[in-house]
Amino acid sequence: MLKWLIPSGYAPSVLALNPPALAAEGIQGLILDLDNTVVAWNASAPTEPVRRWIDRVRETGVRMCIVSNNFSSRTQAIGRALNVPVVAAAVKPIPWGFRRAMALMGTRAEHTALIGDQVFTDILGGNLLGVRTILVEPLSEQEFPTTRLVRRLERLIRARVVQLAARRH
Ligand SMILES: [Mg+2]
């Protein structure tokens, strides 16, 4: 079970990832989690540094798609603001939403990376699908109430997971 929870890589935030380096590693498409990865939980707009980062990804020719379990109009509005397509109500970790994202980007799993802040939805789902998975720290402490229960369990294994990912890198 543990191997499905271990990300291929780890970064403190998306901003710590260098878009040209991702492209140089063969990444053609990037699946992005929304809440606490691209924006703070329930934030209505991305910060300026995140906007610039998204633009830099675009400039490298890497395609992007936001995949969120959220289904609010806010989710679509952020996608429009960033000019990135959104797959909402994705039911992660079930890989349906990630498959849809890869279809939209026209990428195969081996050329796709996923960036997300949650082990049990983002990382597990991405690993099940065989894409490269990059765990980031959540942008804010706040999150959907049901998630908080999962977080408690996640904290128990997170340190171990990050340690293993660092060793694998
Ligand atoms: Mg998230």
Side-chain angles (χ1 to χ4, degrees):
M1 182 61 190
L2 189 60
K3 72 166 188 165
W4 297 108
L5 299 175
I6 300 168
S8 334
Y10 166 81
S13 94
V14 291
L15 301 178
L17 294 163
N18 181 18
L22 288 172
E25 287 165 25
I27 299 303
Q28 298 168 356
L30 214 47
I31 296 171
L32 298 165
D33 169 52
L34 183 68
D35 283 304
N36 275 342
T37 297
V38 168
V39 296
W41 187 75
N42 222 10
S44 56
T47 63
E48 201 47 45
V50 167
R51 281 173 192 269
R52 280 198 297 271
W53 184 84
I54 295 277
D55 285 340
R56 282 178 61 217
V57 173
R58 203 172 354 250
E59 282 161 19
T60 63
V62 174
R63 280 151 274 172
M64 289 169 283
C65 186
I66 291 168
V67 177
S68 176
N69 282 353
N70 210 307
F71 49 84
S72 61
S73 57
R74 179 185 68 91
T75 308
Q76 297 294 343
I78 292 169
R80 277 195 301 275
L82 292 170
N83 199 19
V84 172
V86 172
V87 175
V91 214
K92 297 180 279 188
I94 295 169
W96 169 87
F98 298 149
R99 284 218 184 87
R100 174 95 186 101
M102 287 196 290
L104 286 172
M105 297 189 295
T107 60
R108 305 221 315 237
E110 60 266 40
H111 297 299
T112 305
L114 171 149
I115 306 174
D117 70 299
Q118 287 195 45
V119 169
F120 290 105
T121 53
D122 303 311
I123 302 306
L124 175 59
N127 284 345
L128 287 172
L129 203 55
V131 304
R132 186 165 150 194
T133 49
I134 302 169
L135 181 70
V136 292
E137 294 295 332
L139 285 177
S140 78
E141 293 282 307
Q142 262 199 325
E143 53 204 348
F144 199 68
T146 55
T147 313
R148 246 178 270 148
L149 298 168
V150 177
R151 280 287 186 206
R152 237 186 265 166
L153 183 56
E154 194 177 79
R155 248 190 300 272
L156 291 173
I157 66 155
R158 192 179 178 98
R160 174 75 176 143
V161 157
V162 169
Q163 191 184 35
L164 283 169
R167 199 183 301 157
R168 194 199 269 181
H169 232 41

